[in-house]
Amino acid sequence: MKDAFVAVFGKPFGIVLFQLLEATQFTIYLSLIAFVGGGLIGLAVTAARVSPYKLIDRTFMAYTWLFQSVPLLMLLFLLGLGAPRLFQIQIDPWLAAGIALTLYTSAYLSEVWRGAITAIPDGQREGGKALGLTLFQIMLLIILPQAFRLAIAPTVGFMVQIIKGTSLAYIIGFHDLMTIGKRWANSPVPGTQPFIIYPMMAMIYFSLCFPLSLWARRLEKRLGSASSKGGATAAA
């Protein structure tokens, strides 16, 4: 495959492009780890935030505030560089970057999902109680289906932020698109100057992020129009 790139684009451009695209897979893997892991933790945090027990709500509110307030760059420093020196242990960059991005993602997704749940009018809950439904049944059958429609577009949109956030992981030695790009941009090889390499990297990030942004916009419009039709029908 590398030889094919060299044959088409020549040296060193073909080699650079091949290595950048090869490193992009690790950017995608890290993004998926952060989204899945952050989503699972975010679900648990969301459930705690909408709990009727104030102590649980406030405890996980502090969790959300903590990881929303601490910059992602600082989380990466603490987990990838600070913790190994403090505890005299070796932490793989994959593990450190995965944990940092998962915690960061969980805090933001939980807030998105909690906001979607609390946006449902109280009359929906009161109607469920009038029908004799339990709190669990009200959440499962009435609240969550409506909250899902509100949350799906911003959730997809946040995936763009996760992908862009992975670009910071190079500072702890994570081997991804940013790492390879900076290495080539700093090399003395003719034809790999920063004004050549960084636009190439920008186009790769754009190709990853733009489809997700477009998808989020379409979902927002589609679900928004569906909600408007549903409201008009109910009013009629």
Side-chain angles (χ1 to χ4, degrees):
M1 183 65 71
K2 180 180 178 180
D3 293 336
F5 273 79
V6 173
V8 174
F9 299 103
K11 291 183 179 180
F13 192 80
I15 298 174
V16 173
L17 183 59
F18 172 78
Q19 291 189 2
L20 289 177
L21 292 176
E22 186 180 41
T24 301
Q25 65 180 314
F26 301 114
T27 294
I28 296 173
Y29 296 155
L30 182 58
S31 300
L32 290 174
I33 289 172
F35 183 74
V36 174
L40 292 174
I41 297 176
L43 282 174
V45 174
T46 302
R49 290 297 314 277
V50 298
S51 169
Y53 304 102
K54 291 193 176 295
L55 179 59
I56 297 177
D57 177 26
R58 290 175 180 174
T59 299
F60 284 91
M61 182 190 298
Y63 170 92
T64 303
W65 283 355
L66 173 63
F67 291 111
Q68 281 188 337
S69 301
V70 177
L72 177 58
L73 185 63
M74 184 58 64
L75 281 176
L76 289 165
F77 269 124
L78 291 173
L79 292 171
L81 301 176
R85 290 191 177 184
L86 180 63
F87 299 107
Q88 297 298 310
I89 57 175
Q90 288 288 336
I91 298 181
D92 188 90
W94 266 101
L95 180 61
I99 292 175
L101 278 158
T102 294
L103 293 174
Y104 170 81
T105 302
S106 68
Y108 280 90
L109 286 183
S110 65
E111 198 64 16
V112 169
W113 296 340
R114 185 195 67 83
I117 291 174
T118 57
I120 306 303
D122 290 336
Q124 301 283 339
R125 296 174 177 81
E126 297 300 326
K129 290 179 182 178
L131 293 173
L133 300 179
T134 64
L135 178 61
F136 177 76
Q137 289 174 322
I138 292 172
M139 288 295 296
L140 184 63
L141 301 176
I142 300 176
I143 304 301
L144 291 182
Q146 298 179 75
F148 176 81
R149 298 174 69 88
L150 295 175
I152 185 66
T155 298
V156 173
F158 188 72
M159 292 175 67
V160 174
Q161 301 302 319
I162 298 174
I163 293 173
K164 291 191 292 186
T166 61
S167 64
L168 298 175
Y170 81 92
I171 63 169
I172 60 173
F174 183 74
H175 187 85
D176 71 335
L177 173 59
M178 181 61 71
T179 305
I180 298 301
K182 286 182 68 65
R183 189 177 300 167
W184 275 109
N186 294 327
S187 72
V189 179
T192 62
Q193 292 86 348
F195 64 84
I196 296 176
I197 300 300
Y198 287 124
M200 292 172 61
M201 295 167 59
M203 288 303 299
I204 294 175
Y205 278 114
F206 177 81
S207 67
L208 294 175
C209 295
F210 181 70
L212 290 174
S213 299
L214 197 61
W215 186 25
R217 287 185 181 182
R218 288 183 176 177
L219 283 172
E220 190 172 8
K221 289 181 179 179
R222 183 181 303 173
L223 296 176
S225 62
S227 299
S228 299
K229 290 179 181 179
T233 303

